[in-house]
Amino acid sequence: MDYGQIIQKFTLKVNFFKSKARKFKSYIAKNCYLWHKLKKILRFMASELHVYNSLTRKKEKFEPLHPPFVGMYVCGPTVYGDPHLGHARAAVTFDIVFRYLKHLGYKVRYVSNITDVGHLENDADEGEDKIAKKARLAQLEPMEIANYYTRRYNEAMRRMNVLPPSIQPLASGHIPEQIEMVEKILANGYAYISNGSVYFDLEKYAKQYNYGKLSGKRLEDLIAESRELQGTSEKRHPFDFALWKKADPRHIMRWKTKWSEGFPGWHLECSVMSTKYLGEQFDIHGGGLDLQFPHHESEIAQSVAANGKEPVKYWMHNNLVTINGQKMSKSLGNFITLYELFDGEQPEDGRTLPLNRTFNPQVVRFFILQAHYRSPLDFSQQALEAAEKGYKRLMNAVRLIDKLEPGDKSTVDFSKIIENTFDALNDDFNTPVVIAQLFEAVKLLNLIHDKKAQISASDLEKVKDFFHTVVFDILGLEFQETETSQIVNKLVDLILTLRLEAKKRKDYETADKIREELSKLGIRVKDTRDGFEWEFV
């Protein structure tokens, strides 16, 4: 029987798969490759992933447009400074989405852009380009600034174990395509030229389409808010937004078009690059909640005006990182960069950092995962230190699994924990519940380690596979030991070896003193039949 015949035979209802898979395994296991493939098919068909769609404001079953392929676009950073914790939250959020979709068997094309032109100060249509301003102050070329901070961003993401996107396009590398989309929108009657700039005619668009459906903004409210500005600019209406801006004499980054020498509007690049790499319609568009309006709302308008189609099926937005309840951002000056957080780099702008120590990038990742991506995440040193303890406890448990000795049978059951974990992942990527379930599993592992419970060899392998899959493959956590920490580990082992020798000499006073001093340093020592074990607490 060939592979196709076997798959055809086993293509039954999902519930039938779940109840009968164990019986099939003994037969399929004769061909390990085939069993591996069948497991992926079972997992894919059995998944009931639901995501919260910002567009409909409800959770919806995830059904991609062209399964098993998934197209996902996430707005990346504007590279005029080092990445901060807010950037990290968005990156980690959609890294989890990327990882879990791949775990389910989907073939994901993940596109995340780099904005290196067109993003003006205060996210407006007037003012200086953020990157050009940084270049002017540093007496460098804008591309030097963009390239430098792109490398810094990608390095920070690598240290947090954020997988690189499939494609990371630059706004400046897609100027012809952006000009082409402006021409389409003009030809379709939803834009106008004014003094060399091209603006989106929002009032005309809103007569045919529902502008504001993503953010809940109403055109009437925008008109009321901007009435006092009427007549003060070259726009027909103050709420219209730029598709192409004529460059003023001081603007360094500019390209020639039939309208003017200028540069694209900030919103345009994402419509263009998502269309180029994912098509006119794709599955997921993600980004921070602060991008919902006007950026994402404008993206929808541009794409519909150009292509006549709704571009995105599922809109996803991560909530903000706050400090004392206020949004963390560069513009507000209350941010902390990842390099300040990881390495203790001192701020160039004289800011006072809200912490007095550094943190492992994996601790920062764990801190982000402790909150659901749609909930606010309030930053403090105390919160990071609590996350550090949780991260260490989880990593200690992962190490512990390899030390466990299997018994004849299992007196503990991990099945409900495993089921609850994947139910949480399928419930809009609920990582806090996933972490809580992992710690429930840690309790059982400790019982086994303390000989208060036992686990069979086959169940132990399942638990190992579960922890590896969830902790490393899906949550993206990893052991991250520096050269210094490796030396510390060896020193602690050496000290405890000396303590063991003191006990053998019946020098219990020295042995107890070593234990007490290590405890003061946050190191818990446990005597075992074979010697000792220790962990940071």
Side-chain angles (χ1 to χ4, degrees):
M1 184 180 294
D2 63 20
Y3 175 74
Q5 290 173 316
I6 293 173
I7 295 302
Q8 185 176 14
K9 181 179 179 180
F10 291 157
T11 304
L12 305 172
K13 293 182 180 180
V14 171
N15 288 338
F16 182 76
F17 268 127
K18 294 171 77 173
S19 63
K20 301 295 183 181
R22 192 173 289 110
K23 293 181 180 179
F24 292 152
K25 183 175 181 179
S26 61
Y27 169 69
I28 302 298
K30 294 177 182 177
N31 186 329
C32 295
Y33 173 78
L34 187 56
W35 172 241
H36 174 71
K37 287 291 184 184
L38 184 57
K39 282 202 299 182
K40 292 192 75 171
I41 292 169
L42 289 170
R43 187 168 63 210
F44 177 79
M45 295 186 67
S47 67
E48 285 284 343
L49 174 62
H50 287 74
V51 301
Y52 183 85
N53 191 345
S54 301
L55 187 64
T56 59
R57 296 166 181 77
K58 63 182 181 181
K59 290 180 186 177
E60 298 176 0
K61 184 178 179 181
F62 181 69
E63 297 177 316
L65 296 169
H66 306 290
F69 301 99
V70 173
M72 181 169 76
Y73 186 94
V74 176
C75 291
T78 300
V79 283
Y80 68 102
D82 275 333
H84 59 66
L85 197 55
H87 295 122
R89 186 173 199 195
V92 169
T93 292
F94 293 101
D95 185 52
I96 296 296
V97 176
F98 185 32
R99 287 170 178 273
Y100 191 56
L101 289 175
K102 292 203 301 179
H103 169 78
L104 292 177
Y106 291 108
K107 299 181 183 298
V108 186
R109 177 178 289 177
Y110 175 19
V111 182
S112 184
N113 67 305
I114 294 290
T115 297
D116 59 351
V117 64
H119 196 167
L120 305 187
E121 293 181 290
N122 301 317
D123 300 343
D125 286 336
E126 305 294 337
E128 194 170 4
D129 185 291
K130 293 182 177 184
I131 293 170
K133 180 180 178 180
K134 184 82 172 185
R136 176 174 57 80
L137 294 174
Q139 296 183 315
L140 296 169
E141 283 292 321
M143 281 297 106
E144 287 183 90
I145 294 294
N147 288 342
Y148 174 75
Y149 285 115
T150 298
R151 289 194 298 270
R152 296 271 284 182
Y153 174 82
N154 286 335
E155 172 59 17
M157 296 305 106
R158 184 196 65 77
R159 291 175 66 180
M160 293 188 71
N161 202 29
V162 171
L163 297 176
S166 314
I167 303 172
Q168 190 179 49
L170 304 177
S172 64
H174 296 75
I175 299 298
E177 294 93 335
Q178 294 186 67
I179 293 171
E180 183 181 345
M181 182 170 276
V182 174
E183 290 174 338
K184 287 179 69 175
I185 296 172
L186 277 167
N188 291 340
Y190 293 105
Y192 57 90
I193 303 167
S194 177
N195 193 30
S197 294
V198 183
Y199 293 100
F200 192 90
D201 192 338
L202 203 50
E203 187 172 60
K204 183 172 182 180
Y205 174 85
K207 289 178 180 177
Q208 281 190 269
Y209 301 102
N210 181 11
Y211 182 81
K213 60 185 175 183
L214 178 64
S215 62
K217 296 277 188 180
R218 298 189 311 155
L219 187 62
E220 294 82 357
D221 296 332
L222 297 178
I223 293 172
E225 292 169 4
S226 58
R227 189 164 287 148
E228 62 184 41
L229 300 176
Q230 193 76 33
T232 60
S233 78
E234 60 194 20
K235 301 178 185 180
R236 289 180 184 171
H237 312 102
F239 44 79
D240 293 343
F241 58 87
L243 298 173
W244 186 265
K245 282 290 292 181
K246 179 181 178 180
D248 64 34
R250 65 179 178 169
H251 203 97
I252 302 172
M253 304 173 76
R254 58 177 69 207
W255 291 264
K256 289 184 179 180
T257 68
K258 59 187 176 185
W259 314 302
S260 64
E261 270 199 8
F263 54 92
W266 172 41
H267 309 309
L268 190 62
E269 64 180 273
C270 291
S271 289
V272 166
M273 292 188 286
S274 62
T275 300
K276 178 171 181 175
Y277 296 110
L278 300 175
E280 293 180 355
Q281 293 182 301
F282 56 97
D283 299 296
I284 298 172
H285 194 315
L289 190 62
D290 54 333
L291 296 178
Q292 197 174 67
F293 182 87
H295 186 53
H296 290 164
E297 200 74 74
S298 298
E299 277 190 61
I300 293 174
Q302 290 167 159
S303 296
V304 171
N307 304 319
K309 301 174 184 176
E310 285 288 336
V312 179
K313 187 171 183 180
Y314 303 97
W315 284 89
M316 296 178 64
H317 293 92
N318 63 276
N319 213 317
L320 307 178
V321 179
T322 59
I323 296 181
N324 299 321
Q326 186 181 40
K327 171 193 168 184
M328 177 184 288
S329 73
K330 290 178 181 176
S331 58
L332 294 174
N334 66 346
F335 64 98
I336 179 168
T337 74
L338 296 180
Y339 288 100
E340 291 162 357
L341 197 54
F342 299 163
D343 304 326
E345 289 190 3
Q346 291 304 303
E348 296 178 358
D349 54 10
R351 283 175 293 111
T352 301
L353 296 180
L355 75 172
N356 56 24
R357 52 161 297 199
T358 60
F359 288 89
N360 184 311
Q362 286 301 294
V363 170
V364 178
R365 184 182 180 100
F366 187 82
F367 167 67
I368 291 170
L369 295 175
Q370 282 183 311
H372 190 275
Y373 76 89
R374 287 190 287 114
S375 300
L377 179 65
D378 200 51
F379 169 86
S380 69
Q381 180 165 318
Q382 292 78 11
L384 276 171
E385 287 173 342
E388 184 175 51
K389 291 180 180 178
Y391 167 75
K392 288 180 178 178
R393 183 182 168 209
L394 184 59
M395 291 299 106
N396 286 336
V398 174
R399 290 188 181 95
L400 181 64
I401 294 175
D402 291 329
K403 300 176 183 178
L404 296 180
E405 297 179 359
D408 296 331
K409 62 178 182 179
S410 294
T411 60
V412 289
D413 185 5
F414 287 85
S415 60
K416 190 62 178 177
I417 290 173
I418 295 172
E419 180 183 346
N420 291 343
T421 298
F422 286 100
D423 283 348
L425 285 165
N426 285 329
D427 184 17
D428 196 29
F429 312 98
N430 198 329
T431 55
V433 173
V434 171
I435 290 170
Q437 288 300 311
L438 288 172
F439 282 126
E440 288 300 313
V442 169
K443 293 178 184 177
L444 299 184
L445 293 176
N446 287 332
L447 287 176
I448 297 166
H449 180 251
D450 294 338
K451 310 299 183 185
K452 297 178 181 177
Q454 58 179 322
I455 187 170
S456 68
S458 61
D459 285 347
L460 182 58
E461 286 305 310
K462 291 176 185 176
V463 171
K464 286 181 180 180
D465 181 66
F466 165 68
F467 265 83
H468 186 279
T469 298
V470 176
V471 175
F472 299 133
D473 296 346
I474 297 174
L475 295 185
L477 295 168
E478 61 181 358
F479 295 115
Q480 198 170 64
E481 294 184 344
T482 64
E483 186 176 343
T484 300
S485 66
Q486 290 173 357
I487 292 172
V488 169
N489 291 345
K490 291 177 181 178
L491 284 172
V492 174
D493 285 339
L494 175 61
I495 291 168
L496 289 176
T497 299
L498 294 174
R499 175 178 177 268
L500 197 60
E501 292 175 358
K503 289 179 67 178
K504 289 178 180 178
R505 298 192 307 269
K506 298 186 178 181
D507 184 0
Y508 298 116
E509 183 178 352
T510 299
D512 291 343
K513 181 66 174 176
I514 290 173
R515 180 198 283 268
E516 290 171 9
E517 293 302 317
L518 289 175
S519 179
K520 292 176 183 177
L521 295 173
I523 298 171
R524 178 187 294 147
V525 179
K526 181 177 181 180
D527 294 316
T528 67
R529 184 173 53 191
D530 300 321
F532 57 81
E533 293 175 354
W534 64 272
E535 63 181 6
F536 289 109
V537 294

